[in-house]
Amino acid sequence: MDVLVCIKRVILAGNTFALNEDHTDIDTLHLGYTLSPHEESAVEAAVRLNEEFGGTTTLLTLGHVDSEEQIRSQMAIGPDRAIVLETDGSEWDPQATANAIIDAIKKEETKFDVIIFGSESADTAGYQTGIRVAHALGLPIVTNVKGLKVENSVARCERAVGNMREIYEVSLPAVLTVRDGIAIPRYPSVPGRIKARKKPMDVFPVEKPAAKIEKVKLELPPVKAKGATMLSADADGAQKLVEIFREIGVLS
Amino acid sequence: MILVFIDHDRGVIDDISLQGITFARSLDSSIEAVVVGGEANAALLGEYGVTKIHHATHASLTDYTPQAAGRAVAQVVKSASPSALITGGTPRGNEVLAHVGAILDLPVVADCSEIDLSTSTVKRMRWGGNLIEHAKVHTSMMIASIFPHQIAATPAPVSAEVIAFTPELTAQDTLVKIIDRTGEAAGGVTLAEAKVIISGGRGVGEDFTLIESLAGLLGGAVGCSRVVTAAGWRPHAEQVGQTGTKVAPDLYIACGISGATQHIAGCKNSKTLIAINTDGDAPIMSYADYAIVGDLHQILPAIIAATQAAKG
Ligand SMILES: Cc1cc2nc3c(=O)[nH]c(=O)nc-3n(C[C@H](O)[C@H](O)[C@H](O)COP(=O)(O)OP(=O)(O)OC[C@H]3O[C@@H](n4cnc5c(N)ncnc54)[C@H](O)[C@@H]3O)c2cc1C
Ligand SMILES: Nc1ncnc2c1ncn2[C@@H]1O[C@H](COP(=O)(O)O)[C@@H](O)[C@H]1O
């Protein structure tokens, strides 16, 4: 079973965001990069499919070539190869991103059985790249998947709604968008990390089209610094808390 | 006229969809709605200011069918020519709008907090609401979802006319649909609806007995941080935050949780937030109404005892 997973490098936010001078971007001077937990879970889910059915996992990212760091760290748990659609690192809107991914998939010799996306990207949350790709490729798509079981080329997908789970079934090939928790990502082993360094990575430069959703500037939401009232860490503090429980109506 | 997509679960309309209608009323005086499957719900939608309901009925639309819903909404867009298509930002709302965007090849802006149709500009949420983007949308028709709980749903009663129609669907459109549900009978309070949430982070460790007892005493639900679910200490369904569940209970007690922005994204709408943490400078402190600095393993037993005594 050949699986493609689309991942996106995002800023590893600290406890607050700081903006650059003209408020067009986050000040990244002291920040590192990471992946969304949705996408880390997606990679784990793909690797489990390979373990069960054989086949390969390919990672694909559109972004700065330095995304190699995130790609290699994910390759350490199993994926075989990566495709980088290289940009200058500036933002692409979801339509432009989807179109570039569609072109790349069409050029591939591998016919992927499963193409996995995160349900939404951690930074810009468009909720749509996977759906656009599915339409363009004429493939069925199940979104927000939190449980996956493949049998006889049919994927049984679970999606959480409140305390319930909805079940969808779809024949492969198909596109899935998955959520954090579909599979808890394993820790990479040392040999895994060493192997990852030598796995093939194809880099294709791509041309940025005019944005349909054009970022003008960023703004930090007002912080509701509440100035916490301190309570003592003893029986008195506990008693005071019980009074607060009563005041706010959670204890009668 | 603004067209609002209504998210319902087997006929029961999601409150966030009513927020979507309320938001749409601030943009235009004429509001129409599109309901796919289920019931037209004319009484409720009229109560919130919808004058016309386009109700898509079809033998294949017995339950939620995402791509078919997108197809049906796209057909209403073509026939009714609204100036904008809006929905409350539920998972299904965002999903159906994305299908519409793909079908019509138009941009879709998710999680908006403000929309100006005259300039085609929006403000939208990034990072789960921790950062606001101002954007210009280059489109022939605005398609946008509204960030949940951005405004409260308020009524503005009118009488609603129902126009039933049968969308033209391809076999591909109905391939993906709900075939079953599980866990329907599961008791207990759902995290999203709980009035009280006792939430634990790395500081709690593997044993959540103290968290569970306090939640039990207050009739609340157990929540946790991603560190806890990633370690396999608690099921993922209990994770609060940007990639977990977003909650807005009357009381949220964060025990041994540092307060990373991605966790705060899920709990900052709590009415009262209490932090229990050994570190008086942890970021969670600046979001808390009340705080206790100290070891939760000593503090929680005292709170549990005092609560038990108060209940008598
Ligand atoms: C894109 C993205 C999305 C994410 N989504 C989520 C999400 O949805 N939800 C989420 O929670 N995280 C999410 N995260 C992870 C997040 O960044 C943090 O890593 C995580 O929230 C930290 O969990 P924590 O507070 O339990 O652990 P830590 O940050 O390690 O904090 C532990 C806290 O416990 C305190 N403590 C330790 N011992 C005790 C004790 N005995 N008594 C009292 N206090 C004690 C410490 O002082 C510390 O403040 C996401 C990350 C990314 C990059
Ligand atoms: N630049 C990118 N490169 C690779 N995959 C991406 C990129 N942007 C978005 N995706 C994928 O599409 C998903 C949904 O993104 P979005 O539609 O932006 O919310 C993400 O979780 C990723 O899996």
Side-chain angles (χ1 to χ4, degrees):
Chain A
M1 178 161 319
D2 292 318
V3 187
L4 178 73
V5 185
C6 294
I7 59 176
K8 178 190 194 183
R9 179 182 87 148
V10 295
I11 286 162
L12 178 57
N15 293 317
T16 50
F17 289 96
L19 299 180
N20 65 6
E21 243 168 46
D22 58 2
H23 288 198
T24 50
D25 240 320
I26 296 174
D27 182 358
T28 53
L29 194 61
H30 304 290
L31 300 178
Y33 291 89
T34 186
L35 291 174
S36 164
H38 295 319
E39 291 155 36
E40 288 177 355
S41 299
V43 176
E44 175 66 35
V47 169
R48 288 187 193 179
L49 287 175
N50 289 163
E51 285 168 348
E52 197 177 343
F53 301 102
T56 61
T57 288
T58 303
L59 303 178
L60 183 154
T61 196
L62 174 134
H64 197 276
V65 74
D66 286 354
S67 305
E68 175 166 2
E69 185 190 335
Q70 282 68 41
I71 288 170
R72 298 278 176 211
S73 78
Q74 293 303 305
M75 279 176 153
I77 69 161
D80 305 273
R81 136 176 199 250
I83 303 167
V84 177
L85 305 177
E86 185 190 356
T87 70
D88 61 2
S90 66
E91 264 179 43
W92 285 40
D93 70 11
Q95 248 173 316
T97 304
N99 288 339
I101 293 175
I102 292 158
D103 287 346
I105 293 174
K106 285 184 175 162
K107 280 191 202 126
E108 277 294 298
E109 270 168 36
T110 313
K111 293 288 160 251
F112 298 107
D113 302 289
V114 187
I115 303 176
I116 313 185
F117 292 82
S119 54
E120 80 276 352
S121 40
D123 52 354
T124 52
Y127 307 91
Q128 57 190 271
T129 306
I131 294 176
R132 290 185 185 276
V133 170
H135 274 263
L137 300 177
L139 293 176
I141 174 161
V142 186
T143 66
N144 291 286
V145 177
K146 267 188 88 164
L148 175 65
K149 183 92 198 98
V150 175
E151 237 168 321
N152 302 322
S153 264
V154 173
R156 184 180 165 88
C157 306
E158 293 185 13
R159 172 166 170 166
V161 189
N163 271 355
M164 292 180 300
R165 297 225 151 186
E166 294 171 347
I167 314 295
Y168 297 76
E169 268 181 8
V170 64
S171 298
L172 303 184
V175 178
L176 307 177
T177 82
V178 306
R179 296 191 59 84
D180 185 9
I182 184 179
I184 299 175
R186 70 193 70 181
Y187 287 106
S189 64
V190 174
R193 279 183 220 264
I194 293 167
K195 265 202 232 156
R197 286 190 213 141
K198 299 202 191 74
K199 290 181 178 174
M201 188 177 104
D202 297 321
V203 180
F204 306 107
V206 284
E207 207 53 52
K208 183 174 172 174
K212 297 277 177 62
I213 302 175
E214 182 189 341
K215 176 176 74 176
V216 177
K217 65 167 183 172
L218 299 175
E219 177 191 333
L220 295 169
V223 196
K224 287 181 217 139
K226 288 178 170 173
T229 304
M230 292 295 181
L231 305 175
S232 57
D234 54 17
D236 276 358
Q239 195 49 46
K240 182 80 196 20
L241 262 194
V242 167
E243 284 156 29
I244 293 163
F245 293 165
R246 285 222 163 96
E247 255 166 58
I248 63 175
V250 298
L251 184 71
S252 49
Chain B
M1 180 272 286
I2 294 186
L3 184 66
V4 182
F5 169 73
I6 306 297
D7 175 3
H8 68 84
D9 189 43
R10 300 185 171 174
V12 181
I13 291 180
D14 195 305
D15 182 66
I16 292 170
S17 276
L18 300 178
Q19 295 169 19
I21 302 173
T22 308
F23 187 98
R25 291 204 317 260
S26 69
L27 302 178
D28 198 315
S29 54
S30 169
I31 306 296
E32 298 183 9
V34 50
V35 178
V36 179
E39 296 151 39
N41 261 302
L44 181 62
L45 295 178
E47 171 84 14
Y48 283 84
V50 173
T51 53
K52 196 184 274 184
I53 299 162
H54 303 267
H55 184 206
T57 55
H58 192 287
S60 301
L61 295 177
T62 48
D63 206 341
Y64 180 58
T65 311
Q67 182 163 321
R71 188 76 62 192
V73 175
Q75 282 164 22
V76 178
V77 165
K78 286 216 163 126
S79 63
S81 305
S83 54
L85 170 66
I86 302 283
T87 198
T90 60
R92 288 177 177 181
N94 281 321
E95 176 176 38
V96 171
L97 256 52
H99 277 289
V100 176
I103 290 165
L104 300 176
D105 196 24
L106 289 174
V108 174
V109 269
D111 283 348
C112 294
S113 56
E114 285 178 34
I115 298 176
D116 184 338
L117 291 177
S118 65
T119 55
S120 202
T121 54
V122 301
K123 289 189 190 175
R124 61 178 301 271
M125 297 299 185
R126 291 183 169 212
W127 289 103
N130 284 310
L131 189 60
I132 301 168
E133 171 190 2
H134 299 229
K136 175 141 185 84
V137 189
H138 301 273
T139 183
S140 53
M141 187 197 61
M142 181 73 77
I143 304 181
S145 73
I146 310 306
F147 195 61
H149 309 296
Q150 189 59 35
I151 51 168
T154 54
V158 292
S159 77
E161 169 198 4
V162 178
I163 301 174
F165 74 105
T166 306
E168 275 172 44
L169 303 176
T170 64
Q172 177 88 10
D173 290 336
T174 52
L175 275 182
V176 172
K177 57 173 181 252
I178 297 174
I179 59 156
D180 195 7
R181 290 203 203 200
T182 59
E184 213 137 1
V189 213
T190 70
L191 190 59
E193 285 160 10
K195 294 271 174 241
V196 173
I197 297 170
I198 315 299
S199 202
R202 192 198 300 273
V204 173
E206 192 163 2
D207 182 359
F208 263 58
T209 314
L210 291 172
I211 303 281
E212 282 174 339
S213 347
L214 186 56
L217 277 174
L218 294 172
V222 171
C224 66
S225 73
R226 178 158 198 270
V227 164
V228 169
T229 55
W233 296 342
R234 299 296 295 186
H236 193 273
E238 291 178 0
Q239 182 179 314
V240 171
Q242 185 182 331
T243 55
T245 304
K246 296 198 173 96
V247 300
D250 291 340
L251 174 65
Y252 189 86
I253 308 187
C255 310
I257 293 177
S258 63
T261 52
Q262 300 90 359
H263 187 83
I264 296 298
C267 64
K268 67 176 171 190
N269 290 327
S270 305
K271 285 206 190 98
T272 299
L273 197 149
I274 297 174
I276 302 174
N277 201 303
T278 40
D279 177 4
D281 292 324
I284 189 82
M285 294 295 170
S286 54
Y287 298 92
D289 299 278
Y290 301 94
I292 302 182
V293 175
D295 183 350
L296 66 92
H297 298 101
Q298 258 109 61
I299 294 166
L300 280 176
I303 299 173
I304 289 165
T307 309
Q308 263 163 345
K311 287 183 82 165

